[in-house]
Amino acid sequence: MIKQSVIENVLQAALTSGGDFSELFIEDKYVNSLTLRGGKIEQSISGRDFGIGIRIFSGLQSIYTYTNDISEEGLLIAARRAALAIKGGAAGTIHPLHPEHITPIHKILLTPNTVEHARKADVMRQANEIARSYDERISQVGIRYLDEQQHILIANSEGKFVEDTRIYSRLSIQATASEGNEVQTGFYGPGAHAGFEFMENLDLHHYAGEASRIAITMLHADECPSGKFPVIIDNEFGGVIFHEACGHGLEATAVAKNNSVFANRIGEKVAPDIVTYIDDGTLPNEWGSLNMDDEGEKTRKNILIENGILKGYLIDKFNARRMNTEPTGSSRRQSYRFSPTSRMTNTYIAPGTSTPEDIIASTEYGIYAKYMGGGQVNPATGDYNFAVMEAYTVKDGKIDRPVRGATLIGNGAKTLQLVDRVGNNLAHGAGMCGSVSGSLPVNVGQPMIRVREITVGGTKGE
C-alpha cells in the first residue's frame, strides 16, 4: 500500500504539536452490489474506495481526519493540520514499527472478485423463482446481492503495524404478498464473513421460502391485541431487541460518559441467573466476526453478563483511557471516513436448558414473536420500541392465530430482568448496526426466550 518509512514519517508529523499517540488506518475496499426486481437485474454496481484516516490523542483529547491523497507530501500536510488542533507541549515520539502477523480465523474458499457477475446473478434468479413460486399471491420479489473485500493496514506510534483482509457476502430477499387491498411483506437476509462459496451453499429454498411464507401468513392475520403480556421471542434475529436495548448500553462509547444505565455497575446483578450475554468476534465465518478490530487488536470472546452478573463492557482504545482500563478488541468503523469506537460484533444470549416446546407449553396466554422487524432505542435510557414482522397469540400452551401490527415497547435493562425462560436452540441472524462510527455488519443471536411481561402495542384492545 504505502512504504513503511512514509508511514513512520506521517505518524511522527501527527505528534508535532504535542500529541502522545498517533495512528494511521489505511483502507482499500472493493464492493459489488446487484439488485433484482421483476425477475431482471435492475442495478449492478462495482466500485473501489481507497483512503487513509489519521487519528491523534493528547490525554483525553482526540482528533481525527482522513484523506484520499496517498502521496507522502499530502499525508504529511493532513497529519500536521490535524496536529494543530492539539494544544500540547513538545512533539511526541514514535516507537519503531514491528510488523505483526494476524492468523486468519475465517476460511475463504472463493474470493468474490474472481467470480463473474453471471454466477452471482444466477443465485439471485434462483432465489427469485423460489420466492415467486411459493404462492400465486406473491406479487413482487426483490433480491439484493452484496459482496465486499476490504484490505486494511493499521499502524500507530506505539509500534503496531498490522494488516488484514476481510470478505463479506450477503443475500437479502424481500417478498411482497397482495390480495385485494391487503399488502404484506416478508424478509430474510443471510450473510457471512465468507466468500462466494457462502452463496453457492445457501439453502435458498429455506431463505426465499421463508420470506414468502411470512408475507403470505401476515396477509390475513388478525389485528394484534394491546396490553401487557408474557412474550416469547424466537431465536436468531430475535436477539436484535437485546442488541439494541442492552448491547449499545454496554459499549464504552456510552459507558465512559456515564450515558448508560449499565455504567459503574460491574459486579451487580442485572439479570436472572439464566441469562449470560456474550459478544464474540472470533466465531469463524460469522457475519459480525473479525480477525482483528479496527485498532489492530485481536478480537475475542467478551462475556458481558454471566449468570445475571454484569462482568464487563466493550472498550476501544480511546475510551479505555477515560475508563482507566484496557481495550477489549471491540473498536470498529465503517470505513476510513470514520473514527473508530467501541461496537458489537456477534452479540447473543447463551443457550439455556429449556426446549422451545416447553416454553410454549408453559405459557397460558401471551404473544409469540417469531421474526422481529425494525425498531428504535434510546441508548442512554434503554427505552425501546420494536415492530414484530411475524407474530402469533399463544393460548393454553399452544401457538394460536397469527397477528399483525404487534409492537414491543419497554426498557432494555428492565426487560432483561424479566427473562424467565431461556431455550436451548441458539441461532444467529445477520444485520447492519448504525452508530457514531458508521454502519457495520453484526450478528444478533439468542435461543428462544420468554419475557414475563412486555407492553405490546397492537391495533385492538384486549
Side-chain angles (χ1 to χ4, degrees), residues 18 30 62 114 141 165 187 199 206 215 225 288 306 315 322 326 375 444:
Y30 293 86
S62 177
T114 66
V141 176
T165 297
F187 175 84
M199 296 290 180
H206 169 68
E306 185 174 29
I315 306 169
R322 286 175 164 160
E326 295 297 320
V444 297

Side-chain angles (χ1 to χ4, degrees), residues 13 27 54 73 76 78 93 129 168 207 210 215 266 285 288 338 345 362 368 377 388 393 400 416 420 457 461:
E27 177 185 24
I54 302 172
E73 181 182 3
L76 289 172
T93 58
E129 179 60 29
Y168 296 99
Y207 292 112
E210 276 292 272
I266 295 294
N285 292 113
F338 294 82
T345 56
S362 64
Y368 166 46
V377 64
V388 183
T393 53
D400 192 43
L416 196 62
D420 65 2

Side-chain angles (χ1 to χ4, degrees), residues 25-338:
F25 179 87
I26 306 172
E27 177 185 24
D28 192 4
K29 181 191 290 185
Y30 293 86
V31 179
N32 295 293
S33 175
L34 290 82
T35 303
L36 180 148
R37 291 189 185 279
K40 297 180 180 180
I41 300 297
E42 185 178 83
Q43 187 179 63
S44 178
I45 300 174
S46 296
R48 182 184 183 186
D49 196 11
F50 184 94
I52 300 168
I54 302 172
R55 188 166 60 148
I56 311 168
F57 295 167
S58 178
L60 296 182
Q61 185 181 10
S62 177
I63 302 298
Y64 190 76
T65 189
Y66 63 86
T67 180
N68 303 111
D69 186 343
I70 64 172
S71 68
E72 182 171 9
E73 181 182 3
L75 289 170
L76 289 172
I77 290 172
R80 288 169 182 149
R81 283 178 177 170
L84 291 175
I86 296 289
K87 304 299 182 183
T93 58
I94 68 167
H95 296 275
L97 297 179
H98 297 291
E100 179 182 345
H101 175 70
I102 295 287
T103 302
I105 58 177
H106 312 289
K107 179 182 272 188
I108 306 296
L109 301 179
L110 198 53
T111 304
N113 271 350
T114 66
V115 178
E116 60 273 19
H117 274 38
R119 288 175 66 183
K120 300 173 183 179
D122 185 55
V123 171
M124 300 172 73
R125 292 191 180 98
Q126 290 180 52
N128 175 72
E129 179 60 29
I130 293 166
R132 275 198 170 276
S133 62
Y134 182 87
D135 190 285
E136 62 182 9
R137 290 169 290 179
I138 297 297
S139 57
Q140 184 175 333
V141 176
I143 311 288
R144 187 186 179 215
Y145 168 96
L146 174 72
D147 68 56
E148 292 185 0
Q149 179 173 321
Q150 179 197 42
H151 184 78
I152 62 171
L153 186 155
I154 298 169
N156 66 37
S157 57
E158 295 175 347
K160 182 173 288 294
F161 187 95
V162 61
E163 298 181 69
D164 188 29
T165 297
R166 302 158 176 177
I167 294 176
Y168 296 99
S169 299
R170 193 181 191 196
L171 192 71
S172 299
I173 306 162
Q174 180 166 297
T176 302
S178 304
E179 189 171 34
N181 294 324
E182 297 291 336
V183 179
Q184 292 291 323
T185 61
F187 175 84
Y188 223 134
H193 190 135
F196 190 71
E197 70 278 0
F198 171 74
M199 296 290 180
E200 293 194 318
N201 293 326
L202 269 181
D203 184 350
L204 294 177
H205 285 277
H206 169 68
Y207 292 112
E210 276 292 272
S212 291
R213 186 197 60 75
I214 295 166
I216 292 296
T217 300
M218 292 293 101
L219 198 56
H220 293 296
D222 294 339
E223 301 299 323
C224 183
S226 59
K228 293 184 177 181
F229 310 112
V231 175
I232 298 168
I233 305 174
D234 214 340
N235 64 353
E236 198 174 326
F237 201 72
V240 69
I241 192 168
F242 288 106
H243 164 96
E244 293 288 357
C246 297
H248 281 298
L250 295 169
E251 294 169 335
T253 312
V255 174
K257 298 177 181 179
N258 290 319
N259 288 335
S260 167
V261 293
F262 297 106
N264 303 309
R265 296 185 64 188
I266 295 294
E268 289 188 23
K269 187 84 168 175
V270 297
D273 293 347
I274 56 175
V275 174
T276 292
Y277 196 49
I278 298 167
D279 184 272
D280 189 353
T282 71
L283 301 176
N285 292 113
E286 289 293 345
W287 176 243
S289 292
L290 303 158
N291 293 315
M292 66 180 191
D293 74 359
D294 286 331
E295 292 175 335
E297 295 290 328
K298 290 181 181 179
T299 53
R300 63 195 75 174
K301 181 178 182 179
N302 291 299
I303 298 176
L304 305 173
I305 299 171
E306 185 174 29
N307 300 326
I309 304 297
L310 183 60
K311 293 290 187 176
Y313 306 113
L314 300 175
I315 306 169
D316 59 281
K317 193 174 187 69
F318 182 67
N319 282 305
R321 289 186 170 208
R322 286 175 164 160
M323 298 169 68
N324 194 29
T325 187
E326 295 297 320
T328 60
S330 306
S331 183
R332 302 187 66 189
R333 62 180 111 196
Q334 179 179 325
S335 72
Y336 67 89
R337 294 181 176 87
F338 294 82

